[in-house]
Amino acid sequence: MRLTYPAVFYEGDGGYAVEVPDLPGCTSGGDSLAEAILMGTDAASGWVLTELEDGKPVPKASPIEAIRPEAGGFVSILVLDMDAYAEKYGNKAVRKNLTIPAWLNTFAEERHINFSQVLQDSLLALYQQENAAS
């Protein structure tokens, strides 16, 4: 999933500060504009990933025209690649229930099989197989 958010940039003190108004408290900065863009993108991605992992909806982005920076600031768009970011940094476990036949449950329990690990390993293998094809 790719998302875009307007960000406000301010130059000063030998670098740039960046703030993402649609993501409360999401600020960052860098020594150069390029670094500020990268750091702003990283901060915004982390902010959104936390919301997603907590089961909260992703905030809707404001139209760029609606963002009014203070004097000396300018607005630009940050592009967030949430799939890549989550693959690299996401880690929150999600509890899932499953149903299997009783005989298969007995078989697995007798062998001390970790159901969660088997499911994770299988899904990860499928994920890697599908992404290798694309």
Side-chain angles (χ1 to χ4, degrees):
M1 158 179 38
R2 290 188 191 221
L3 302 170
T4 58
Y5 285 98
V8 180
F9 293 83
Y10 297 98
E11 186 176 9
D13 296 330
Y16 289 84
V18 58
E19 142 186 15
V20 185
D22 293 319
L23 310 177
C26 183
T27 61
S28 192
D31 292 335
S32 67
L33 181 56
E35 185 177 332
I37 291 169
L38 290 173
M39 297 302 289
T41 301
D42 183 65
S45 297
W47 196 104
V48 170
L49 181 61
T50 299
E51 293 296 293
L52 291 171
E53 288 183 338
D54 288 345
K56 297 177 184 173
V58 175
K60 185 175 176 158
S62 298
I64 194 169
E65 310 81 42
I67 305 298
R68 303 281 183 234
E70 294 177 17
F74 65 92
V75 181
S76 188
I77 294 290
L78 298 179
V79 178
L80 315 182
D81 183 344
M82 294 310 303
D83 294 329
Y85 195 86
E87 186 176 328
K88 188 171 182 181
Y89 298 110
N91 235 0
K92 184 173 181 182
V94 177
R95 186 168 190 72
K96 293 288 182 188
N97 293 326
L98 64 107
T99 303
I100 60 171
W103 68 267
L104 192 54
N105 184 61
T106 301
F107 173 84
E109 286 182 346
E110 287 173 351
R111 286 156 183 79
H112 306 287
I113 293 174
N114 181 325
F115 289 88
S116 293
Q117 192 63 54
V118 169
L119 180 59
Q120 285 181 54
D121 291 347
S122 298
L123 289 173
L124 181 59
L126 180 61
Y127 174 81
Q128 290 172 336
Q129 183 180 35
E130 285 187 10
N131 282 316
S134 48

